[in-house]
Amino acid sequence: MFKIFKRRSSAKVAKNRLKQVLTKDRAGLSENDLCALKQELYQVISGYFTIEEDSLVVDIQNRNGNSALSVNTPLLQSPRR
Amino acid sequence: MGEVIVVTSGKGGVGKTTTTANLSTALAKAGKQVLAMDADIGLRNLDIIMGLENRIVYNLVDVVKKRCEARKAMIRDKRFKTLFLLPTSQVHDKNAVNPEEMKALCEELKPQYDFILIDSPAGIEQGFLNAIAGADKSLVVTTPEVSAVRDADRIIGLLQHHEVPASLIVNRLSAKMVETGEMMSKEDVVDILAVDLQGVIPEDSEVVVSGNQGVPVVLNDQSISGQAYDRIARRLMGEEVPIPELEEKKGFFSMLFGR
């Protein structure tokens, strides 16, 4: 059975990497600010759910040409209210 | 009344000075009154690329600080009598002038020329701010490589912030590498940076030769880069010139055997 490998062109890799990195660059948020945002979001979310600070991911991404803030975290247990 | 165009990039070494020298020469060759201004204080290079390095008496800093009149610092080109160079100082640094002074200088000189092309330094600090202060529009030079494109994006953002319209020049494009998928194409770069494309200059060893000799490559009408600079100059003068699909520069033997 032939498995035809097409080497993924490095130009395509470059373009994808640039799109991702420029989305972050253009958001203008420093690493410090992103860290502060993450800490504040952790405070807010843990008022509603039990979560782990280290598992919380806050990221700026390129989704189909648009900038998006992505927040993702496993939920350990909803606090009983 | 002239148009002030700043040639900038963010990244160093992508071809700002070469572009400034060649576009200035091409515009003067077409009969326009042109001033090429070196705004890279402390690292002067426009003079040496144009072959005028032995003629400098006064410079940009002298003019801005009113130690001499602007026309005393201008150096007329060897080949074209409508082309002038305002060289920069080699002994000062970027803080020797400020944006307000640069803006005032551009306003003063604009009526005397059809085009003033300003060679910006690399970076985003005072040198860049000085270079863009008097500009009506900008040409952002990039190569199709990740760090150059990233820096160009930052520069475009800053130009937009300062309300200087920007268009793009993609320099050192290798048709062969684009074809094999190992270099981003001009379409890729435009797609990423989202600005209008002013022109494309192919990779060409003649650029090195011309720098060595102090004769801008646009004067070598056999060179593919010279031809590209010529097309860009014509676009700057308002002509509709399509951007051709670049062919790989043919070596001697392939030309001989008609490949």
Side-chain angles (χ1 to χ4, degrees):
Chain A
M1 186 169 106
F2 278 114
K3 226 182 180 181
I4 299 167
F5 275 107
K6 191 174 182 192
R7 183 167 76 138
R8 191 166 180 215
S9 78
S10 67
K12 283 206 180 77
V13 173
K15 196 173 175 189
N16 288 332
R17 291 175 65 214
L18 272 166
K19 283 197 158 174
Q20 289 301 329
V21 87
L22 287 181
T23 300
K24 295 194 202 335
D25 284 355
R26 286 168 185 166
L29 213 60
S30 70
E31 279 76 19
N32 270 341
D33 287 341
L34 194 60
C35 208
L37 175 62
K38 188 178 161 182
Q39 281 168 354
E40 288 177 46
L41 284 172
Y42 170 73
Q43 297 303 327
V44 170
I45 298 171
S46 48
Y48 293 83
F49 296 99
T50 308
I51 59 172
E52 238 175 36
E53 190 165 4
D54 290 341
S55 306
L56 172 62
V57 177
V58 178
D59 198 17
I60 296 171
Q61 294 174 347
N62 187 305
R63 300 264 180 85
N64 300 320
N66 294 313
S67 288
L69 179 70
S70 161
V71 180
N72 202 289
T73 179
L75 300 179
L76 301 180
Q77 198 187 11
S78 308
R80 264 178 271 240
R81 288 185 155 230
Chain B
M1 179 67 92
E3 193 173 15
V4 181
I5 303 175
V6 62
V7 180
T8 187
S9 68
K11 187 100 173 53
V14 297
K16 294 180 289 303
T17 302
T18 303
T19 295
T20 307
N22 278 284
L23 292 181
S24 301
T25 301
L27 290 165
K29 193 169 81 146
K32 301 293 179 186
Q33 289 284 134
V34 183
L35 174 63
M37 187 189 299
D38 190 347
D40 197 351
I41 302 177
L43 290 172
R44 93 175 151 209
N45 277 315
L46 193 52
D47 58 319
I48 202 171
I49 293 297
M50 293 175 74
L52 301 172
E53 70 273 15
N54 291 320
R55 301 194 176 186
I56 299 177
V57 180
Y58 296 106
N59 62 62
L60 175 68
V61 178
D62 294 323
V63 173
V64 163
K65 298 303 173 190
K66 311 253 187 268
R67 285 194 282 269
C68 78
E69 277 174 40
R71 63 182 173 75
K72 278 216 160 132
M74 304 296 181
I75 299 163
R76 176 176 262 159
D77 185 64
K78 289 176 190 171
R79 294 162 277 262
F80 299 102
K81 58 180 171 40
T82 62
L83 175 58
F84 294 85
L85 165 69
L86 178 55
T88 194
S89 163
Q90 187 66 331
V91 302
H92 294 88
D93 66 28
K94 308 290 192 276
N95 298 307
V97 307
N98 64 47
E100 289 71 34
E101 289 168 326
M102 286 295 285
K103 185 154 194 254
L105 178 64
C106 291
E107 294 299 310
E108 180 197 324
L109 296 174
K110 261 169 104 152
Q112 304 166 28
Y113 298 96
D114 297 310
F115 291 95
I116 298 179
L117 267 69
I118 300 178
D119 186 14
S120 164
I124 53 172
E125 300 84 10
Q126 171 111 343
F128 165 74
L129 296 173
N130 285 340
I132 71 170
D136 298 313
K137 71 184 206 191
S138 64
L139 295 173
V140 177
V141 180
T142 187
T143 60
E145 293 163 291
V146 292
S147 42
V149 173
R150 188 187 193 172
D151 288 359
D153 190 71
R154 180 94 160 90
I155 281 295
I156 289 165
L158 287 170
L159 288 162
Q160 285 170 350
H161 175 75
H162 285 96
E163 294 178 347
V164 180
S167 62
L168 189 67
I169 292 182
V170 180
N171 192 19
R172 307 192 68 171
L173 197 69
S174 160
K176 187 169 175 202
M177 285 187 77
V178 171
E179 206 186 327
T180 60
E182 297 310 305
M183 179 180 272
M184 287 186 282
S185 65
K186 62 185 187 295
E187 290 82 6
D188 288 334
V189 177
V190 169
D191 185 34
I192 292 166
L193 294 175
V195 289
D196 290 336
L197 184 61
Q198 185 68 243
V200 178
I201 301 150
E203 177 70 52
D204 184 3
S205 52
E206 287 301 316
V207 171
V208 176
V209 175
S210 69
N212 293 341
Q213 295 171 333
V215 179
V217 75
V218 73
L219 297 176
N220 174 356
D221 53 19
Q222 302 298 308
S223 75
I224 51 175
S225 57
Q227 291 161 9
Y229 277 120
D230 209 56
R231 286 190 290 270
I232 296 173
R234 282 157 61 199
R235 287 178 206 123
L236 290 176
M237 290 187 281
E239 207 182 311
E240 292 261 350
V241 184
I243 296 176
E245 286 311 310
L246 290 174
E247 284 171 20
E248 182 62 11
K249 177 178 173 182
K250 288 192 155 54
F252 177 74
F253 284 107
S254 61
M255 277 173 69
L256 204 57
F257 295 108
R259 187 175 73 82

